[in-house]
Structure formats: C-alpha cells, structure tokens
Amino acid sequence: ALERCRYAGAAPVTLEQYERVIGGSDAGRWRPSVSMIKESFKELILDDTTADFLERALHSGRSLMLYGPSGNGKTTVLTEFIKHLDGEVLIPNALYAYGQIIRMFDGMVHRRVEVEPKAENGDGNGARGNDEGPDRRWVRAKRPGLLVGGEFTEESLELGYDPITRFYQAPKHLKAQGGVLVVDDFGRQKVSPSDLLNRWIMALERGRDNLLLRTGESIDVPFHLTILFSTNLNPSDLTDSAYLRRVPYKAYMAPADSARFAEILGLAIRKSGWEAQTDTVAAVTKFLEVATGGDLSGSLARDLVTIVLDNATHEGHEPVFDVAAFDLAYRQFAGIPDGQRPAPHAAAAQQ
C-alpha cells in the first residue's frame, strides 16, 4: 500500500461527495457584507473616491484589479480585507479521484474552527459516539484568504504531484474555495498575465474548474472564490481588452496628496508608540513634498518613521519627529551623500 501511496490521514472524500457539499452550497454566491468591508478599512487612510470604488467592488464578490503607483497601499488594502473575512467553509482533508488522492486541507492556509463535542442526553457529560459526531473527513475552517505574489508560476495553477509520497497537493485557487485569492504584483509572475487570466476567469464564468491528473484523467470541480489583483502597471499594458473585460471592476489607487500624507505620517508615528504635534507633522510633510518632488506615498511615511526610530536608538535618546530628524532619515533612505541637500523637483521648487 505504501508503494502505491504514502498518504496518511483522514479518509479522502470522493468527487461525488465533494460536488454534493460544495457544488450545492451557497459558497459561489458569497459576498462580503458592507460592515465587514468598512471594518477592514477602519485603520486605513483612504480618499473618499477610492474608498467608495473599493467598497462597491468588494461587496460585489466579483473580480477586482486594483492598480496605481507603488507604495500607496494596494497590498495593505487587500491584505486587511482578507484578514477580516468572516464566516466558515467546509474543507475536505483530501479528495479521491480515479484512484488518486489530492490533499486539500492546508494548515498554512486554513484556520480550523474547533467544534465542541456534543453532550450525551444534554446533561453535559460525555461525548456522543463517532457515528453521531461530525464527519471527520471534513474540516470546518474560517473563510480562507490567500495571497500569492511574484513567486507564482504556471505549475502553481495545476495539481502538484509528489513522486515520493505519490499523492497530489491542490493548487492555491482550489484551497481558496469559498474565500478570496489575492494576486499581488500582478504582471510580475513567471506566467503571463493573459495565461493567468484565461486560466481563472473562464473558470469563474463557468463556476467550474478542470484539473488534469498525471494518469491522463481530468476532474471537474466547483470553482467558488473571488480573485483580486493588485498591480503597479496600467491594466491596458498587461493584456488585451478581451481578457481585461472579464475582470469587471478596476480601481485606481491614487498617490497621497500632502493632506492625506500628513494623516498617514501622524498615524505611523502613533502606531510606533509615540506622538508628534500637528504643526510638526505639517512641517515635515512640507519638507518631504519638496524633497521628493511631490512623490509622497504611504510606504515612505512608514519607512522614514522606522529610520527616525533607529537613529534615536543608535544615538541613545528618545525619538524627536521634527524636520531635522526626517531630513537625516530621508537622506539615508534616498542614499544622498552626507553634506548634500535633497535636490527638490523643479515643479515643487517653483511652488
């Protein structure tokens, strides 16, 4: 038996059983509540237009492409969203098809929901027998939210067979069944954007996915998940319109203006456990707007606060969040030699 397959664990679920539970569930019609989306945005500083676009797109439960310049919070927004997913799903420990076993449950992806054993006769003493307990082939788990990035390859889209253990691992999108899959830095993967969209968007339209076993048989399984894309590139530069129209929602993440950057900077300082006066934050923002030529981003605020804290630790005193401290931090961040001032952008200098 071990020569044929080294899988050890709960009995696998047949495709027919998986179809009855997943294919007939409401997983494909799941959409996040508005309150859940607002909760995931609570700690973020977004302009009203962007927040409204995102809320409408995410509430639809359909595919979204979030794009815009680097460092302005696209990954943070989607990460916070999947961290706040509510509800539960059923995940089989493994599937059985054509004599092959496919592992589905992944402890790195799925957060098990512990089930209290039912009390016998309602007196609170003793658990019921296994014949009346939950089906242990299935796991109750929190709604999954997965994030994949530039490491994603064409092989990641298919079943992964291990010749040593002689069973398969389900691909990421199948493990995200009933939940959300975020493709971060879309367009930087080793698989082309067109191939990636074609592989998934057709499955989303059909609500079905087709997977190929190494023995030649193909299996058809339900495909109930929301796929969200994040990219620094313009969508029109990624692929042609025939593929892009299958991602019904696009939202632009605009760079921070000076007012929003000041809010982000103040929040970054407070999250570090310190405080700064409003007028000091405004002065630092004005300095950085000139130094960067107006290229302000949320990630810049976070990075510079980190460097200011590091410098204070190095010098052996409490941090001071003034222009002088951020002047040094910015020169360190930008690699500007000691003694040279940050060169202001021409347009910013004229302002």
Side-chain angles (χ1 to χ4, degrees), residues 267-301:
L267 179 62
I269 293 172
R270 290 193 298 275
K271 281 189 172 183
S272 71
W274 300 91
E275 293 290 337
Q277 297 296 321
T278 302
D279 56 349
T280 303
V281 172
V284 170
T285 299
K286 185 175 181 180
F287 160 75
L288 291 173
E289 187 174 21
V290 174
T292 64
D295 186 17
L296 301 173
S297 66
S299 62
L300 178 66

Side-chain angles (χ1 to χ4, degrees), residues 261 264-274 276 281 284 288 298-313 319-321 325-326 329-330 333:
F261 181 84
I264 295 170
L265 181 59
L267 179 62
I269 293 172
R270 290 193 298 275
K271 281 189 172 183
S272 71
W274 300 91
V281 172
V284 170
L288 291 173
S299 62
L300 178 66
R302 178 199 62 209
D303 294 337
L304 293 184
V305 167
T306 299
I307 295 174
V308 169
L309 292 171
D310 290 342
N311 285 339
T313 300
V320 178
F321 298 97
F326 279 92
Y330 182 71
F333 179 80

Side-chain angles (χ1 to χ4, degrees), residues 43 50 113 123 125 200 256:
E43 296 296 322
T50 301
V113 176
D123 60 4
N125 297 316
W200 280 338

Side-chain angles (χ1 to χ4, degrees), residues 64-323:
L64 159 72
M65 185 174 294
L66 184 57
Y67 71 101
S70 177
N72 286 291
K74 298 182 298 299
T75 302
T76 301
V77 165
L78 298 183
T79 300
E80 285 298 312
F81 175 67
I82 62 176
K83 279 168 56 178
H84 286 81
L85 295 179
D86 54 11
E88 301 172 0
V89 297
L90 283 173
I91 304 290
N93 279 281
L95 290 179
Y96 183 81
Y98 298 103
Q100 306 294 313
I101 292 179
I102 304 165
R103 185 186 289 279
M104 290 283 291
F105 180 78
D106 184 342
M108 299 296 291
V109 171
H110 303 113
R111 293 169 53 202
R112 186 187 296 267
V113 176
E114 297 297 334
V115 182
E116 293 292 331
K118 295 180 180 179
E120 192 171 2
N121 298 324
D123 60 4
N125 297 316
R128 293 185 184 275
N130 288 339
D131 56 331
E132 298 184 30
D135 186 339
R136 295 186 180 182
R137 297 172 302 171
W138 294 84
V139 177
R140 280 179 58 190
K142 295 288 187 183
R143 192 176 304 280
L146 284 74
L147 187 146
V148 297
E151 78 285 354
F152 209 65
T153 63
E154 192 168 359
E155 290 74 22
S156 304
L157 297 167
E158 307 300 338
L159 293 169
Y161 181 74
D162 187 336
I164 304 299
T165 60
R166 295 184 175 85
F167 62 85
Y168 296 82
Q169 286 285 347
K172 295 286 187 183
H173 60 270
L174 194 57
K175 291 181 180 181
Q177 189 86 269
V180 176
L181 177 66
V182 173
V183 183
D184 195 25
D185 211 10
F186 181 56
R188 307 292 189 188
Q189 287 74 27
K190 295 179 181 178
V191 56
S192 74
S194 297
D195 289 344
L196 200 57
L197 287 174
N198 186 58
R199 176 67 178 81
W200 280 338
I201 302 305
M202 291 302 295
L204 283 170
E205 288 182 356
R206 295 176 55 236
R208 313 286 307 176
D209 189 29
N210 191 268
L211 299 169
L212 188 66
L213 297 167
R214 71 185 188 97
T215 51
E217 295 93 349
S218 64
I219 60 174
D220 192 59
V221 293
F223 192 84
H224 299 324
L225 68 148
T226 300
I227 300 180
L228 307 176
F229 301 93
S230 167
T231 180
N232 301 333
L233 307 174
N234 191 306
S236 61
D237 295 333
L238 288 168
T239 186
D240 58 53
S241 58
Y243 288 102
L244 288 177
R245 68 179 176 80
R246 290 177 173 151
V247 181
Y249 288 89
K250 288 91 176 172
Y252 179 67
M253 198 80 170
D257 57 19
S258 58
R260 191 155 64 92
F261 181 84
E263 287 187 67
I264 295 170
L265 181 59
L267 179 62
I269 293 172
R270 290 193 298 275
K271 281 189 172 183
S272 71
W274 300 91
E275 293 290 337
Q277 297 296 321
T278 302
D279 56 349
T280 303
V281 172
V284 170
T285 299
K286 185 175 181 180
F287 160 75
L288 291 173
E289 187 174 21
V290 174
T292 64
D295 186 17
L296 301 173
S297 66
S299 62
L300 178 66
R302 178 199 62 209
D303 294 337
L304 293 184
V305 167
T306 299
I307 295 174
V308 169
L309 292 171
D310 290 342
N311 285 339
T313 300
H314 173 73
E315 295 163 6
H317 59 74
E318 292 186 352
V320 178
F321 298 97
D322 58 10
V323 172

